[in-house]
Amino acid sequence: PMNLQVPFLIFAVLWTVFAGVLTDSAILYAQDDELEAQVWEVDIRGNKTFSDLVIKQNIATSAPTFFQKLSFWSRGSHPYDETEIRKDVIRIRRYYQRRGFIHVEVSNRVEPGGGKQWKKRVVFIIKENSPVRINSVAYEYQTDPGDQKIIKESSAFQRAKQRHPFQSGNRYGVINEPEVIGTLTDQLKNLGFAYAEVGLEAEVDSVANTANLSLRINTGPRSYIDKIIVEGEKSVSKNLVVRESGLKSGELFSQNDLQEAQKELFNNHLFRFATISIPEQEQDTTIDLQIRVRESPLRTVQALIGFGTEDYARGQLSWTHHNVARKGHRFTISGRASFIEQTANIDYLFPYLFNTKSSFVVSPFFQHLDEKSFELIRGGVTNSFIYRYSENLTGTASYQYTKNKELTQQLNVDLPDTTQRYDLSSFQFTGYYGAGFRRQQIGWVVRPYLEFSGIFGAATFSFQKASIDIRRFTRLSSSTVLATRIEGGSIFSAGQDSLPSNIRYFLGGTSSVRGWLRQELGPKRALVDSTGFERYVPVGGRTFFGFNLEIRQELNAFIKGFGLAVFLDGGQVWRKRIDFSERPMQFGAGGGIRYQSPIGPLRLDVGFKLNPTPEDLNKFQGRDFNQGLETFAIHFSIGQAF
């Protein structure tokens, strides 16, 4: 009786809930005629120049998304409002008129939508008609002949003249006036004309649909920097603030230099806020600047914690002094630990070497790695010269010396684990280039790497190493992104047949080919003990190639911050050089969910091996040691895969 009561109670509860939902939905549909009218669809017709999406973003009337239409129990979020629709007609008309279509005609009508009386389809009909075209563009220079010559000989100013939207034959729209005036004014200020002004007059013939434009350029005096006034400093000196900005008295004024100086100060570890402005003063050939800063705390402590399927849990603790000896030097002691890696290091930063873009870091460290195929203990020092050429381009040249102790597991039961001690001495060169890659994460990212080991005769192994990582992020729609990555590398001119595991390449894992767990894609060797076969151990190789294709779909309409992803990954590791006859490419495919949390994107992926090898499936000498989990891999982490 007890065994029957529990299922019966569960069934009764489920039936009550289900019956309640059915009853509520039946009442809703029975009262369709009494429901408040709702916008069910919004159509844009007759538009040729601007897309439906662009126009819908500029009106208030909107239709429910696909997921909202499924939510029959929560109607009312898109009410039908005739007053708002009339305002939208005006909004569309003004949108076109500000972009040159002064004779545009916009109307609307309402149609039944979805077969229900309360569902409304709102249709906006647009008749664009001919736009106003620019007939001529004249430039009037209100300055002396010498300054006029400087302007006309400036290639940057001439490019700005040729590229702005107000060119003969183009459509004239008042919406573009601020852009044109701002572009030309900025170029004049970059030439030293701090008080430059650009005016624009347009004669529009509404009958002929033509416009004649006149641009008046008043440069004012060409100015040089005189005084640089600093405010807000506490633990740092005024001279240090000026030095870190990169501005110098006596230099020709440049708007670009001011913006770059503000970025340098804002990115400097000493300051959490910085502005550079021109105080009110008489227009003259000299100009005073004002720098306001707000310093970061002199000493800070930072603690971080994370979770993932590779290292389970990881944490980091650091202490930083931001202004050692009041010279702007930064001193940091930090330690981080996970189930795979434990590291302790000291960083001493010299933020200004030759200029504000150059810095030097000395970093002694100690590290313990516990990978599946080897265990490594190493200590050493890295000396790095960093040059941040621009926001998009950074290069680093480093010299690293380490002493290493590596424990490697052997395949033969009769041989003990071998301990290898070796020294490494190498120059390393890394680069970062990002084109258009900002908060939206759209554009290119390129990361090359070069290493030359065996320098100064202080290394056990001599080799050269080169790799590259190229990423491309393309927005396919307002909510869909295609993320792609290719990476590859090789070890050249190795003087030894066998290199330590820590030097070799590995593939597979949360941020690699996701059908495999960490480092498990590629050559393997069998680990055998006294009882027989235990498992396969990845051995890595000297050459690798990998790629990732991922479509990321945002579903904010369903749950804010929620998203889905599907991916295809592939790659291979070769013992020496690329040889597809020895080891063909292997592929993994799958999908996952994303959630944009306050601490970063939470990611759960499931990847399946499409063409696994017998070693991948844990088969040894004809026997199957498969435990049922070898065909796929589950990955959880904070942050995108790449």
Side-chain angles (χ1 to χ4, degrees):
M2 181 62 69
N3 292 338
L4 293 175
Q5 286 177 3
V6 174
F8 178 77
L9 288 173
I10 294 174
F11 175 76
V13 172
L14 292 175
W15 173 255
T16 301
V17 175
F18 183 64
V21 173
L22 288 178
T23 301
D24 290 343
S25 60
I27 292 172
L28 283 172
Y29 280 103
Q31 297 176 344
D32 273 346
D33 293 341
E34 301 177 9
L35 289 174
E36 181 183 357
Q38 296 285 305
V39 177
W40 196 248
E41 294 179 25
V42 175
D43 286 347
I44 311 293
R45 299 178 184 175
N47 53 309
K48 298 177 182 178
T49 306
F50 307 107
S51 68
D52 291 6
L53 179 62
V54 169
I55 295 174
K56 288 178 180 179
Q57 288 175 341
N58 287 275
I59 60 177
T61 303
S62 62
T65 64
F66 173 78
F67 291 105
Q68 289 172 333
K69 289 180 179 180
L70 295 179
S71 305
F72 56 82
W73 55 84
S74 60
R75 296 173 183 148
S77 58
H78 295 79
Y80 172 75
D81 188 333
E82 292 184 354
T83 301
E84 201 63 56
I85 292 172
R86 286 195 294 271
K87 290 181 180 178
D88 283 338
V89 170
I90 297 173
R91 290 184 182 108
I92 295 174
R93 186 182 300 123
R94 287 178 177 173
Y95 181 86
Y96 269 87
Q97 287 173 344
R98 287 175 60 81
R99 286 157 180 80
F101 295 87
I102 60 175
H103 301 298
V104 65
E105 300 174 38
V106 184
S107 60
N108 76 283
R109 66 170 180 263
V110 181
E111 303 173 349
K116 299 293 182 180
Q117 186 174 355
W118 58 271
K119 296 180 180 179
K120 305 295 182 182
R121 177 188 289 113
V122 180
V123 183
F124 294 97
I125 302 104
I126 301 170
K127 187 177 181 181
E128 294 183 347
N129 294 318
S130 299
V132 174
R133 297 287 177 183
I134 298 173
N135 183 49
S136 64
V137 182
Y139 290 87
E140 179 184 345
Y141 296 91
Q142 299 176 351
T143 184
D144 61 63
D147 289 343
Q148 185 173 336
K149 181 180 179 183
I150 292 172
I151 296 170
K152 291 184 176 181
E153 290 179 351
S154 167
S155 58
F157 187 82
Q158 296 306 316
R159 283 195 301 269
K161 284 178 58 177
Q162 296 168 5
R163 293 177 180 178
H164 69 67
F166 285 170
Q167 306 293 329
S168 296
N170 287 359
R171 178 165 30 93
Y172 168 71
V174 294
I175 190 72
N176 292 323
E177 286 188 7
E179 175 191 350
V180 174
I181 292 173
T183 298
L184 296 178
T185 302
D186 286 347
Q187 291 301 328
L188 291 171
K189 290 184 176 181
N190 288 336
L191 293 173
F193 300 102
Y195 305 101
E197 294 180 353
V198 177
L200 188 149
E201 289 185 359
E203 296 181 359
V204 179
D205 187 336
S206 59
V207 177
N209 284 338
T210 59
N212 295 311
L213 307 184
S214 177
L215 287 156
R216 298 188 313 275
I217 297 173
N218 185 356
T219 63
R222 202 174 191 211
S223 304
Y224 292 81
I225 299 174
D226 187 13
K227 297 178 183 177
I228 302 177
I229 306 165
V230 178
E231 295 182 356
E233 82 289 352
K234 292 182 179 180
S235 66
V236 300
S237 66
K238 295 180 184 293
N239 290 338
L240 190 146
V241 175
V242 174
R243 187 196 73 177
E244 294 299 324
S245 73
L247 298 172
K248 295 180 181 179
S249 297
E251 286 187 342
L252 183 66
F253 174 87
S254 169
Q255 183 72 23
N256 275 350
D257 289 348
L258 259 64
Q259 294 173 352
E260 188 65 26
Q262 184 163 317
K263 289 180 183 178
E264 292 292 340
L265 290 174
F266 189 79
N267 291 327
N268 192 292
H269 66 94
L270 291 169
F271 313 110
R272 58 181 177 179
F273 177 79
T275 61
I276 302 178
S277 59
I278 302 174
E280 191 170 335
Q281 56 195 288
E282 292 184 4
Q283 295 187 15
D284 199 354
T285 55
T286 60
I287 187 169
D288 296 339
L289 303 178
Q290 186 175 56
I291 300 177
R292 289 189 176 95
V293 296
R294 185 179 300 168
E295 294 184 16
S296 299
L298 193 59
R299 299 173 182 85
T300 58
V301 176
Q302 184 181 58
L304 302 173
I305 188 170
F307 302 92
T309 51
E310 290 188 347
D311 48 10
Y312 304 109
R314 55 187 177 272
Q316 178 173 317
L317 183 65
S318 62
W319 177 88
T320 301
H321 189 306
H322 290 275
N323 190 15
V324 179
R326 298 178 63 87
K327 294 182 178 180
H329 298 175
R330 186 182 67 195
F331 177 76
T332 301
I333 301 175
S334 63
R336 63 178 183 270
S338 70
F339 284 85
I340 294 176
E341 176 188 359
Q342 301 85 46
T343 301
N345 63 283
I346 295 173
D347 288 339
Y348 195 96
L349 170 69
F350 300 86
Y352 188 104
L353 202 60
F354 306 119
N355 52 32
T356 59
K357 299 178 182 297
S358 59
S359 58
F360 190 78
V361 184
V362 180
S363 303
F365 67 93
F366 175 83
Q367 183 182 49
H368 173 244
L369 284 174
D370 190 6
E371 299 285 359
K372 291 184 178 180
S373 59
F374 68 94
E375 182 178 1
L376 175 70
I377 299 173
R378 68 172 186 154
V381 61
T382 303
N383 303 296
S384 300
F385 170 72
I386 304 168
Y387 195 87
R388 189 173 178 268
Y389 180 77
S390 68
E391 192 174 1
N392 298 328
L393 182 61
T394 301
T396 302
S398 303
Y399 172 73
Q400 185 181 79
Y401 177 79
T402 61
K403 298 187 77 69
N404 304 265
K405 177 183 177 182
E406 183 179 290
L407 180 68
T408 305
Q409 301 185 57
Q410 296 297 305
L411 65 96
N412 193 313
V413 68
D414 297 327
L415 294 177
D417 292 346
T418 62
T419 300
Q420 184 175 199
R421 299 177 184 272
Y422 57 93
D423 299 337
L424 290 180
S425 172
S426 62
F427 280 112
Q428 301 167 358
F429 301 90
T430 60
Y432 172 88
Y433 173 73
F437 190 78
R438 295 292 186 274
R439 291 182 180 179
Q440 294 295 323
Q441 295 190 346
I442 304 300
W444 288 90
V445 174
V446 181
R447 295 175 176 173
Y449 174 83
L450 289 172
E451 181 177 354
F452 301 91
S453 183
I455 307 299
F456 306 133
T460 308
F461 298 94
S462 176
F463 59 88
Q464 289 81 52
K465 201 173 187 179
S467 65
I468 192 166
D469 183 321
I470 303 175
R471 308 177 186 194
R472 170 70 170 169
F473 302 87
T474 307
R475 185 163 291 281
L476 303 180
S477 72
S478 60
S479 61
T480 309
V481 171
L482 172 64
T484 58
R485 175 175 69 174
I486 60 171
E487 56 179 340
S490 188
I491 300 173
F492 304 95
S493 305
Q496 296 78 16
D497 292 333
S498 178
L499 293 173
S501 300
N502 188 48
I503 297 173
R504 301 178 213 149
Y505 291 114
F506 293 84
L507 274 183
T510 299
S511 300
S512 182
V513 183
R514 283 163 281 183
W516 284 257
L517 293 176
R518 179 180 172 87
Q519 297 189 349
E520 289 193 347
L521 173 59
K524 301 178 181 65
R525 62 187 178 189
L527 186 63
V528 181
D529 58 18
S530 58
T531 61
F533 174 76
E534 181 181 346
R535 59 188 172 90
Y536 280 104
V537 176
V539 298
R542 297 191 182 189
T543 303
F544 85 101
F545 175 80
F547 74 86
N548 304 88
L549 298 173
E550 181 172 285
I551 296 179
R552 301 168 182 171
Q553 178 63 53
E554 300 171 2
L555 297 176
N556 289 321
F558 184 60
I559 299 176
K560 186 171 179 59
F562 183 75
L564 298 175
V566 293
F567 57 82
L568 173 66
D569 300 336
Q572 190 55 269
V573 178
W574 293 272
R575 291 180 182 272
K576 292 187 177 180
R577 297 290 176 261
I578 295 177
D579 187 347
F580 291 108
S581 61
E582 174 198 354
R583 300 197 66 84
M585 290 282 290
Q586 291 183 265
F587 305 95
I593 58 176
R594 308 285 187 270
Y595 179 68
Q596 190 67 41
S597 73
I599 60 175
L602 300 178
R603 176 168 63 96
L604 178 64
D605 288 334
V606 180
F608 295 88
K609 300 178 179 69
L610 299 183
N611 56 337
T613 64
E615 291 83 2
D616 293 330
L617 300 177
N618 229 19
K619 295 180 179 180
F620 177 69
Q621 294 183 351
R623 294 183 60 188
D624 191 349
F625 293 87
N626 194 311
Q627 299 178 357
L629 303 177
E630 284 79 4
T631 58
F632 67 95
I634 299 175
H635 306 280
F636 172 77
S637 69
I638 300 174
Q640 295 287 8
F642 59 95

